[in-house]
């Protein structure tokens, strides 16, 4: 690591710590010294944010650790060897693989790209693309914890994800089984950190390095989303967005739009979704929890850099329609406990 890079990291870390100090203690020490009275609405936003942030923090860290272990110890070649040749049985195997692959929606894209390059069928890659950010055990734990008062939403999230993955996979199989979907002569936007990148480095050091990178990468997006959710709880109570929550049809569309814009990490998005549970219907909450980890603002650009535009646009259209329909239909089976 060069000296300028090291100084940049120190500066960013120092700035982050200063902002955290101001956030947690600014109203006690800084505001009192300059005789500044913080508005009650701002204080309420801080309370909402801290509630979301502190609940989600352990799951963010666990997700980063698990993702690092998978990234360093399980290669794409290993996954490719265990995939059956039968296209339909392979879908089931891909869903099982998604259960033990705790990676976020952006990190899974280059993995799927490499798997397709190594011979995995496109529709199997789609199953991993949709299932891995939602079906893994870290996300299940965070969702179960966030919705302890309505466990049906936690189970509904994973059932809808499985159904959506299978349906979209079949559609992609019919449309793209014989077409090339990857862009040519384009490097992956993200790559795995090799275990022996530096011969003197231990595997534990590699895991620590990758965990820190993963944690701060997904953490910044989560903080932005948590702040937005906190502000929304205070200032959008009487807006059209909140009024739409009373309708299953409109509320589901609104929550899918919010999921796309917020671009939250799937390990912690359940806590943001839970903050909207008093305003939106259960099916709208499920659409937020399913659609966001599959498609959001940031990973759309990652997909467009890795896959051909035609495939990306059709994938977005198909996923949006399938998730919306399944989420609305789930309202017939969901009821708050």
């Amino acid at each position: 690591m060069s000296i300028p890079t090291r100084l940049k990291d120190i500066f960013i870390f120092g700035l982050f710590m200063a902002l955290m100090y101001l956030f947690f203690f600014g109203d006690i020490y800084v505001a009192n010294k300059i005789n500044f009275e913080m508005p009650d609405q701002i204080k309420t936003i801080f309370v909402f944010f801290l509630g979301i942030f502190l609940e989600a923090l352990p799951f963010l860290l666990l997700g980063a650790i698990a993702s690092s272990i998978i990234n360093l110890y399980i290669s794409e070649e290993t996954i490719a060897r265990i995939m059956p040749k039968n296209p339909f049985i392979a879908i089931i195997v891909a869903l099982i693989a998604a259960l033990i692959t705790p990676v976020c929606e952006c990190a899974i894209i280059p993995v799927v790209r490499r798997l397709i390059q190594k011979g995995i069928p496109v529709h199997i890659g789609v199953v991993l693309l949709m299932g891995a950010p939602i079906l893994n055990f870290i996300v299940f734990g965070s969702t179960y914890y966030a919705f302890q008062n309505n466990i049906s939403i936690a189970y509904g999230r994973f059932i809808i994800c499985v159904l959506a993955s299978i349906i979209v996979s079949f559609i992609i199989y019919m449309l793209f089984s014989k077409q090339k979907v990857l862009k040519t002569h384009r490097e992956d936007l993200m790559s795995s950190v090799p275990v022996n990148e530096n011969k003197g480095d231990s595997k534990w050091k590699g895991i620590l390095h990758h965990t820190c990178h993963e944690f701060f990468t997904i953490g910044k997006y989560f903080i932005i989303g948590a702040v937005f959710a906190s502000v929304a709880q205070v200032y959008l109570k009487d807006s059209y967005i909140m009024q739409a929550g009373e309708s299953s049809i409109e509320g589901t569309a609104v929550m899918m739009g919010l999921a796309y814009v917020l671009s939250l990490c799937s390990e912690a998005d359940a806590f943001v979704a839970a903050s909207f549970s008093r305003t939106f219907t259960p099916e709208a909450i499920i659409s937020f929890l399913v659609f966001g980890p599959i498609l959001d603002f940031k990973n759309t650009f990652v997909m467009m850099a890795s896959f051909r535009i035609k495939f990306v646009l059709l994938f977005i259209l198909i996923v949006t329609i399938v998730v919306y329909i399944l989420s609305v239909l789930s309202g017939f089976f969901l009821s708050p406990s």
Side-chain angles (χ1 to χ4, degrees):
M1 182 182 292
S2 63
I3 294 180
T5 302
R6 190 182 299 274
L7 290 175
K8 179 182 177 181
D9 291 341
I10 294 174
F11 173 77
I12 293 175
F13 178 76
L15 180 62
F16 174 78
M17 295 302 296
L19 291 174
M20 287 295 98
Y21 175 82
L22 289 175
F23 185 84
F24 287 102
F25 306 108
D27 60 329
I28 300 176
Y29 299 107
V30 180
N32 289 339
K33 288 185 178 181
I34 62 176
N35 295 321
F36 175 75
E37 181 65 27
M38 187 174 294
D40 291 337
Q41 289 180 321
I42 301 298
K43 292 181 180 179
T44 304
I45 291 174
F46 284 169
V47 171
F48 276 125
F49 174 82
L50 286 177
I52 297 172
F53 179 78
L54 294 177
E55 281 188 318
L57 187 60
F59 295 99
L60 283 172
L61 185 58
L62 284 174
I65 294 172
S67 175
S68 300
I69 294 173
I70 294 293
N71 184 61
L72 292 174
Y73 287 96
I74 300 181
S75 65
E76 293 83 6
E77 290 84 356
T78 302
I79 299 176
R81 282 198 303 269
I82 65 176
M83 281 296 173
K85 301 299 181 182
N86 186 292
F88 305 110
I89 297 178
I91 292 177
I92 306 301
V93 175
L95 287 172
I96 296 174
L99 293 173
I100 57 174
T101 310
V103 293
C104 68
E105 62 273 17
C106 286
I108 194 64
I109 293 174
V111 173
V112 170
R113 173 181 167 83
R114 288 192 293 269
L115 288 172
I116 294 175
Q117 287 175 334
K118 296 175 185 296
I120 290 293
V122 177
H123 72 290
I124 300 303
V126 165
V127 175
L128 290 172
L129 199 65
M130 297 177 63
I134 299 177
L135 299 179
N136 68 77
F137 56 93
I138 299 293
V139 175
F140 179 82
S142 66
T143 307
Y144 190 91
Y145 181 79
F147 289 96
Q148 296 179 71
N149 296 326
N150 192 0
I151 301 301
S152 59
I153 292 181
Y155 290 118
R157 177 183 197 180
F158 299 100
I159 293 172
I160 296 300
C161 176
V162 170
L163 293 176
S165 299
I166 294 174
I167 294 171
V168 173
S169 177
F170 276 123
I171 296 174
I172 294 297
Y173 177 75
M174 291 185 291
L175 295 178
F176 292 98
S177 61
K178 297 181 180 180
Q179 295 188 33
K180 190 174 182 180
V181 300
L182 298 179
K183 282 190 174 180
T184 55
H185 308 296
R186 182 65 65 92
E187 296 292 335
D188 291 338
L189 292 182
M190 299 174 63
S191 59
S192 300
V193 180
V195 175
N196 57 353
E197 183 180 17
N198 295 314
K199 293 182 179 180
D201 292 344
S202 67
K203 293 181 180 180
W204 287 107
K205 186 175 180 181
I207 291 176
L208 180 62
H209 173 78
H210 192 273
T211 298
C212 292
H213 179 270
E214 185 83 3
F215 179 78
F216 284 105
T217 298
I218 62 181
K220 62 185 178 184
Y221 292 109
F222 170 75
I223 289 175
I224 294 172
V227 169
F228 184 89
S230 303
V231 172
Q233 295 299 301
V234 176
Y235 290 105
L236 300 182
K237 290 182 179 179
D238 300 322
S239 69
Y240 168 76
I241 291 179
M242 292 306 180
Q243 292 175 5
E246 301 175 1
S247 168
S248 174
I249 302 298
E250 295 180 359
T252 300
V254 168
M255 287 301 283
M256 288 176 66
L258 283 176
Y260 185 85
V261 173
L262 291 181
S263 300
L264 296 176
C265 169
S266 58
E267 279 92 349
D269 61 354
F271 297 96
V272 175
S275 68
F276 289 104
S277 59
R278 293 184 179 180
T279 307
F280 288 85
T281 62
E283 54 267 33
I285 298 297
I286 284 183
S287 71
F288 180 93
L289 293 171
V290 174
F291 187 75
I294 299 173
L295 287 172
D296 59 37
F297 187 78
K298 65 181 188 298
N299 82 340
T300 297
F301 290 96
V302 182
M303 288 183 63
M304 287 185 173
S306 301
F307 297 92
R308 294 190 173 185
I309 299 299
K310 177 184 176 182
F311 172 80
V312 174
L313 294 179
L314 282 175
F315 177 76
I316 292 174
L317 178 63
I318 295 168
V319 169
T320 302
I321 294 173
V322 170
V323 172
Y324 179 82
I325 293 175
L326 290 177
S327 298
V328 172
L329 291 177
S330 69
F332 294 102
F333 304 96
L334 292 170
S335 60
S337 57

